[in-house]
Amino acid sequence: MHHKNIKKVLITDPIDPTFVQCLRNAGCDVDEKKLTKDQLISQIADYDALVVRSGTQVTVDVIAAGKNLKLIGRAGTGVDNIDVPAATKHGVWVMNTPGANTISAAEMTCALILALARQIPQACQTLKDGRWDRKLFMGNELMGKTLAILGLGRIGREVATRMRSFGMTIVGFDPFMPAETAAQYGIQFMAPEQIWPVADYITVHVPLLPETENLVCSEVLVKCKRGVKIINAARGGIVNEKDLLKELESGQVGGAALDVFAEEPPGPEVQKLLKHSKVVCTPHLGASTTEAQERVAGDLAEQIQQWITTGNAPGFVNKI
Ligand SMILES: O=C(O)[C@H](O)COP(=O)(O)O
């Protein structure tokens, strides 16, 4: 099989125009289309490569219909919207651009922590609604508070560096990182059971996997300090949405900032959570910066070009 023979490329999510330009320069025929699942299934057979962000669900039926498909490119990090085992089974390579949007994701997380501490979005809304309400919005300083980071990969570590400058104590856990390495990043390594009672803020920075789904659920939240604040700018499903609402309603959770949702866009059953007065929410904007989008597009184009010309490239998440 000629894996490197990429002629026709289909892009189904918004990607920086430099990507299209680079691939056209490399001799590829590139189509950008917004398609329903059925349209994607009926058109995918024409293409050698499919390029997506998180918006397109690359399910097994899409992959099976891709008779000429050799490569799925993810302009970003998370590949949870791609059925990677099915791709591997069908001989389709999957490539992402890890690290290209790390800083944007970390900065977004820091912004959400600050937004929670001072209820900035809620206060802004009252002023826009014509009110001048100061008493409602008594906040808290971050200095001296404990931030728990679950997942100490690239993003978690950048969050640690930034939030330490606010005087926060940083604790964290990662099953793949030894305690000594965490200490080098100024993070006190703790087992999850030790983390729950000491954390004022908990932010998750793990991929969505069977092992991380519902990582933050009622069972965990009830072990936390009353009023704990939860941030999820990683993936929907890591924090259980139903449990979070329940604990917000009881006051056990004092606030939550959510950039990602189990289903995107979130369905009607999530509206109560989104509308809760202690919830700050954004529509999966962690990587939505000019810089990150230029970087993911540039990296992916370069990796694909390198693969076409040399048969080798970084960024593959599977092995055929
Ligand atoms: O996994 C990622 O790279 C981020 O969640 C960004 O997703 P997006 O490319 O859909 O904005």
Side-chain angles (χ1 to χ4, degrees):
M1 206 192 294
H2 295 285
H3 287 120
K4 297 139 233 155
N5 193 10
I6 302 292
K7 280 278 164 231
K8 289 202 73 180
V9 179
L10 174 64
I11 304 175
T12 54
D13 287 318
I15 287 179
D16 190 89
T18 53
F19 178 80
V20 182
Q21 209 43 61
C22 284
L23 282 203
R24 286 194 178 135
N25 292 346
C28 297
D29 197 347
V30 185
D31 289 336
E32 283 183 276
K33 294 180 183 177
K34 190 172 163 30
L35 302 173
T36 63
K37 187 180 171 167
D38 288 344
Q39 289 169 330
L40 177 58
I41 289 172
S42 70
Q43 297 184 32
I44 191 71
D46 291 343
Y47 295 94
D48 301 304
L50 171 65
V51 173
V52 301
R53 280 173 60 195
S54 63
T56 304
Q57 294 303 316
V58 191
T59 51
V60 60
D61 35 354
V62 172
I63 294 164
K67 297 287 173 233
N68 290 303
L69 201 59
K70 296 154 191 86
L71 175 71
I72 300 164
R74 196 319 187 191
T77 308
V79 290
D80 46 285
N81 55 317
I82 302 167
D83 189 335
V84 179
T88 309
K89 207 176 126 223
H90 284 83
V92 179
W93 293 87
V94 180
M95 175 189 268
N96 71 349
T97 57
N101 53 28
T102 299
I103 299 300
S104 286
E107 288 184 1
M108 182 71 177
T109 305
C110 299
L112 291 173
I113 294 171
L114 287 158
L116 276 180
R118 307 302 284 269
Q119 296 178 260
I120 296 168
Q122 296 94 326
C124 176
Q125 194 54 50
T126 57
L127 205 56
K128 284 177 189 277
D129 289 344
R131 289 151 56 198
W132 182 259
D133 245 328
R134 300 176 70 212
K135 278 207 199 80
L136 275 179
F137 301 112
M138 189 64 86
N140 284 107
E141 288 185 349
L142 294 177
M143 188 160 84
K145 302 299 187 300
T146 298
L147 170 65
I149 305 180
L150 305 179
L152 301 173
R154 298 180 189 87
I155 300 168
R157 297 196 303 254
E158 294 294 346
V159 171
T161 308
R162 283 156 182 72
M163 296 320 292
R164 208 174 28 249
S165 69
F166 281 88
M168 296 191 92
T169 298
I170 317 289
V171 303
F173 175 76
D174 190 309
F176 304 108
M177 185 185 277
E180 310 80 69
T181 315
Q184 285 167 16
Y185 293 104
I187 302 162
Q188 280 179 48
F189 194 88
M190 286 185 179
E193 291 303 316
Q194 293 174 282
I195 286 179
W196 313 134
V198 301
D200 295 297
Y201 291 78
I202 299 175
T203 183
V204 294
H205 296 287
V206 293
L208 179 65
L209 301 167
E211 305 89 293
T212 60
E213 196 169 4
N214 299 318
L215 177 67
V216 178
C217 58
S218 271
E219 202 191 316
V220 158
L221 292 169
V222 296
K223 293 179 186 160
C224 294
K225 277 191 194 175
R226 192 165 175 82
V228 65
K229 294 186 171 71
I230 307 295
I231 301 95
N232 186 4
R235 268 302 174 277
I238 297 166
V239 175
N240 182 289
E241 290 166 351
K242 272 205 195 94
D243 289 4
L244 181 63
L245 178 61
K246 186 172 134 217
E247 302 308 332
L248 278 159
E249 284 176 338
S250 76
Q252 174 60 15
V253 170
L258 305 170
D259 184 45
V260 287
F261 303 90
E263 203 189 308
E264 295 182 357
E269 68 287 355
V270 190
Q271 292 307 310
K272 210 166 168 198
L273 175 64
L274 299 180
K275 292 196 164 82
H276 192 282
S277 63
K278 294 276 162 60
V279 171
V280 171
C281 48
T282 45
H284 201 150
L285 297 180
S288 292
T289 63
T290 314
E291 294 83 354
Q293 285 312 307
E294 282 175 6
R295 227 178 276 128
V296 297
D299 283 8
L300 191 64
E302 217 170 280
Q303 288 167 209
I304 295 176
Q305 235 175 319
Q306 196 180 328
W307 193 50
I308 294 172
T309 50
T310 69
N312 239 317
F316 285 114
V317 303
N318 64 347
K319 250 196 161 116
I320 307 294

